Structure formats: structure tokens, C-alpha cells
Amino acid sequence: MTAPQTSPAPAATAGARRVPGRARPLGNVNVQAGVLGVAILAAIMLLWYLAADREWVSPLLIAPPGDVFASLGDMVASGALWPNIYATAFETLVGLVCAAVLAFVLAVVFTFSEPVHKAVYPYLVVIQTFPKVAIAPMVIAGFGYGLAPKAFLAALLAFFPLLVNAMVGLASVGEDQYNLFRSVRAGRWQILFKLRIPHAVSYILPALNTAAVLALIGAIVAEFVSAREGLGFAIQAATQNGSIAATYALLIVMGFFGVAIWLVMAVLNRLLARYRA
């Protein structure tokens, strides 16, 4: 008696199987995120329009979207916006660079010297708890009315996240990796530049994004107190003049400023990816 033979699966059934890894167009995460982002923006714009048009909120607190974008167009066309953007961007950049350099140097010192770490770090925590808005007038009085106080406050806000992440990145090297370097008699500086720093890059890059936004906030706070140009100065002037539309337009510019920072950090993240451990 012969055993029953198993018939092969029909070709149509085999061809109907979904190929693994082939996603449908709307199944792509980036497409879904883009559609959701556009929907959220449309909902915000609709709610904004209705709140202004039907006076759900006082006209003294919210301006119609049409007036806001018209005011923004006037600023761009007249050229009055660009000097303020340049001033704030330069203050933010100087503050961020100073904070990054100081944070990295201190993180290296703390990694090599535990007594210095334990002695100095509590004072840095105390300084971090100071309300920056409250000390801004004192900073302006001490440093004058030029670039220095704006860059100082920008660096002060950006400093602590960079320091903490750099310390964690430098100190959290795997024991096996460290022992491997020691087994080939690598010195302190060789371990620092060839092991600790590449390992710390993965910790420092995310902190740079947060620090850049905090540096922008620090520069804006300083411009609120005393400045002749900058986005903070322009917002304060628009508020004092009662121009709600111009104030909202400048807030939109600050929002685009934040997006630009995120894009720059994303590009920097890709460029430095090769140096990660």
C-alpha cells in the first residue's frame, strides 16, 4: 500500500503571501508621522481661527491668524526681522559654544579627579538652581549692555545638561573595554581620546539639542532685560506697543528658530556618528 502524497500548494496561494518587510505606503512610520503632524497643525489653525473670530478669547490676548501672518510678511519684506534674528542667533551660538567647551573640560577634570568632582559639583548644582530671570538684571549690571551678558545667560542655561551628559558618557565606559586598553598599556590620554570621548559622543549629542534650546531661552531672557536688538527685544517692543499680531508673529519666528536648531543638531548627529564608540 502506497503512502498518500501531499499535493503542492497552489501557485496563486503562494503568490498571494505578503512579502516580509514590504510595507504599504500608509504603513510607513514616517508617512504616518507626516500625516498626523499635518492634521495636528490643521486642527491648531482651525481652533486658533475660531477662537479669534468668535471671540472665545479676548482680542487683547489673541490675534486672528490673518493679521499675524500679514504682520510677519511685513517684517520680512521691510527687512526689520533679519537683524533681530542675527543678533539672537549669534548670542545663542556664542553661549552654546562657551557652555560646551567649559562643560567638556570640567567633565574631563571630574573624571580624572574624584576629590575635585566631590568638592566642586555641589556648587554647580547650587548655581543651577538660581532663577535665571531673577539674576538677569545683576548680570546685565555686571557685564554691561553688549554681547557678554546675553552670551553669559545663554551659557548658564545650556551648561548643566552638557556637563551631566558628558560626565556620564566619559565615566560609563565598559569595564572590559577599559581593561583591554590597560592590557596594552594605553596611557590616560590615549584612553581618553580613543575610548572615553568616542563613547561619550552618544551622550553629548542628545544633550546638545536640549542645550541649544536652553541657550536660546537664556539669550531671549537677557534681551528682555536690556537690549537694542534681538527677538526678545522685538517681542518686548511689540508687547509694549500693544501690537498683539506682531507679538504672535515673532513667537512663530522663535518656533521656526527651534525647528532650525533641531535640524542642525540632526545633521551634526549624522556627521559625528562615525566617531561614536
Side-chain angles (χ1 to χ4, degrees), residues 33-225:
V35 172
L36 182 60
V38 171
I40 292 174
L41 179 61
I44 291 174
M45 294 299 295
L46 178 61
L47 182 61
W48 181 9
Y49 173 78
L50 292 175
D53 184 65
R54 301 187 181 184
E55 295 186 357
W56 293 346
V57 183
S58 170
L60 298 176
L61 297 178
I62 188 171
D67 295 348
V68 172
F69 288 107
S71 178
L72 180 59
D74 292 340
M75 291 180 190
V76 173
S78 65
L81 185 63
W82 307 118
N84 293 322
I85 291 179
Y86 173 78
T88 301
F90 187 68
E91 294 159 3
T92 302
L93 180 61
V94 172
L96 180 62
V97 170
C98 292
V101 172
L102 182 59
F104 183 75
V105 171
L106 280 179
V108 172
V109 172
F110 290 165
T111 301
F112 284 161
S113 177
E114 188 69 18
V116 175
H117 177 200
K118 291 184 176 181
V120 176
Y121 190 74
Y123 293 102
L124 298 178
V125 174
V126 171
I127 294 174
Q128 179 64 19
T129 61
F130 289 166
K132 309 307 183 292
V133 176
I135 67 174
M138 294 186 291
V139 173
I140 297 292
F143 287 92
Y145 296 90
L147 171 66
K150 285 84 170 177
F152 178 82
L153 278 177
L156 191 60
L157 265 72
F159 169 75
F160 205 71
L162 290 171
L163 174 65
V164 172
N165 281 46
M167 286 170 53
V168 172
L170 291 172
S172 60
V173 174
E175 185 176 354
D176 292 339
Q177 293 175 304
Y178 182 79
N179 290 335
L180 177 63
F181 271 72
R182 295 297 295 172
S183 66
V184 295
R185 298 185 179 182
R188 273 189 172 187
W189 295 107
Q190 289 176 314
I191 294 176
L192 174 66
F193 286 103
K194 295 184 178 180
L195 177 62
R196 292 191 185 276
I197 291 179
H199 184 267
V201 169
S202 299
Y203 292 81
I204 296 173
L205 286 179
L208 270 176
N209 200 346
T210 303
V213 175
L214 291 175
L216 173 61
I217 295 174
I220 295 293
V221 168
E223 290 171 353
F224 280 155
V225 177

Side-chain angles (χ1 to χ4, degrees), residues 1-8:
M1 184 175 180
T2 60
Q5 296 181 353
T6 304
S7 58

